[in-house]
Amino acid sequence: MVAGEPSGDLLAGLLLDGLQRHWPGLKAVGIGGPQMDRRGFEAWWSADRLAVRGYAEVLRHYRAIVSIRAQLQRRLLSEPPDVFVGVDAPDFNLPLERALKAGGVTTVHFVCPSVWAWRAERIHTLAQSADLVLCVFPFEIPLLERHGIRARYVGHPLAQVIPLEPDRVAARRRLQLPVDGPVVAVLPGSRGAEVEHLAPRFFRTAALLAQARPAMRFVVPSVPAWRARVGELARRYAPGLHLEILEGHSHDALEACDVALIASGTATLEAALYKRPMVIAYHMNELSWQITRRKMLQPWVGLPNILCGSFVVPEFLQRQAQPARLAAAVLEWFEAPSRVAALEQRFTELHHELRRDTPEQAAHAIEELLGR
């Protein structure tokens, strides 16, 4: 198995739960993170080594990443596993899967690349790379089947993990926050490049929000590797403002908050499943942005908007991601309770659409593929 970032590590950990129920003696090895480690996964490399986003950022780490992939490929071809599962991280996993499949290894890709949103050409690579694609969104199945790709909808595992009815009061008590009063969750991303690009903007936004509403509280979940840097950026860009920087606890922060200021990515789906209004933003290296923008197929980048087919929550990308605009958009949610109620209803419907026993269904699909 290979998972390349915290969201992939979470998905892979849940998949391991299902696989271990089917095969109690399962041995799982490869590249993974702490969620996989807790299930007895043997990590030959840490998932942190692959957590790089954006073309310019990847170029700086290209040689190291390619070296890891080449070493892993040689090892798996010399000692073939029963099955290889690439969890997301398509730029790393698909070339690896293609080589392994050509070498006779059965390959599974968990989470269909967003070929429906951008870089549609990857669907041909996917067909050459994966014997089976496990899809987390139902609309992906007919698209893949039209291209002759075996696919199974298994639901989104987060829809099973996150409660249908979040408990804001209990979450606030866990985080030692006031039960009443406005709370904003600030999530500038889990990768280093995201933190460097977005945290300064988000913290300047928080300072503006505090000026408008002095009683507002802020919680900032951070992955352990970046907590110190996040704290440093908070002191620099929001001096004197109390920001509660958490090590992990992103789900608690989303459950506790009234509104989330959030980087585009899997966390936006988590916020939607917690039925929280949000303001989505993203900023990257300018070269990476120019390349990415030309490959986009839809007007949305946030998963809640893509899944709902409209701008149900605002997005601010690249030069639009300015603190004054972000702060105004956050404040709008506080001033529109009827809009918030309508959004909560739509997100509840979405939650039901995505809720399946993902670990069990994914493990069963792999079992069928292997004929066991």
Side-chain angles (χ1 to χ4, degrees), residues 97-310:
E97 290 165 23
R98 182 165 52 185
L100 294 177
K101 184 178 179 182
V105 176
T106 300
T107 58
V108 175
H109 195 79
F110 185 22
V111 184
C112 176
S114 50
V115 290
W116 32 265
W118 73 304
R119 293 178 64 186
E121 72 278 2
R122 286 184 298 176
I123 199 163
H124 304 295
T125 304
L126 187 62
Q128 298 165 357
S129 305
D131 291 302
L132 171 67
V133 179
L134 302 175
C135 297
V136 297
F137 302 125
F139 65 82
E140 295 169 331
I141 299 298
L143 172 64
L144 297 187
E145 289 180 343
R146 283 201 300 272
H147 288 83
I149 300 172
R150 182 173 179 173
R152 176 76 65 85
Y153 172 57
V154 297
H156 202 294
L158 289 171
Q160 188 180 15
V161 171
I162 294 172
L164 278 168
E165 297 182 4
D167 190 335
R168 181 183 277 111
V169 172
R172 290 192 178 195
R173 286 177 175 152
R174 287 195 298 272
L175 297 178
Q176 299 182 330
L177 292 168
V179 172
D180 298 315
V183 174
V184 172
V186 180
L187 293 91
S190 59
R191 304 177 184 89
E194 290 174 333
V195 169
E196 296 296 341
H197 279 267
L198 285 171
R201 289 172 168 78
F202 282 11
F203 293 146
R204 289 200 296 264
T205 302
L208 293 174
L209 290 169
Q211 290 176 13
R213 293 202 173 195
M216 191 172 286
R217 300 286 296 269
F218 302 91
V219 288
V220 188
S222 174
V223 296
W226 288 98
R227 185 177 181 182
R229 179 58 175 160
V230 168
E232 179 185 330
L233 292 169
R235 290 188 292 274
R236 182 187 305 176
Y237 292 100
L241 180 63
H242 178 70
L243 293 154
E244 189 69 35
I245 299 174
L246 311 171
E247 186 167 310
H249 295 283
S250 62
H251 283 198
D252 284 336
L254 289 170
E255 191 167 17
C257 76
D258 296 294
V259 181
L261 175 60
I262 194 165
S264 176
T266 303
T268 63
L269 179 60
E270 294 171 334
L273 293 173
Y274 276 109
K275 325 301 182 297
R276 297 299 181 249
M278 71 194 82
V279 174
I280 297 173
Y282 210 80
H283 193 280
M284 62 176 69
N285 173 281
E286 186 63 26
L287 173 61
S288 297
W289 167 247
Q290 293 300 330
I291 296 171
T292 299
R293 186 176 63 172
R294 287 196 291 270
K295 292 179 177 288
M296 291 172 59
L297 302 177
Q298 298 194 50
W300 319 284
V301 300
L303 280 170
N305 291 336
I306 291 171
L307 291 168
C308 294
S310 65

Side-chain angles (χ1 to χ4, degrees), residues 323-342:
R325 300 185 70 174
L326 298 175
V330 170
L331 289 172
E332 282 182 13
W333 285 118
F334 284 99
E335 296 160 2
S338 60
R339 183 177 164 217
V340 171

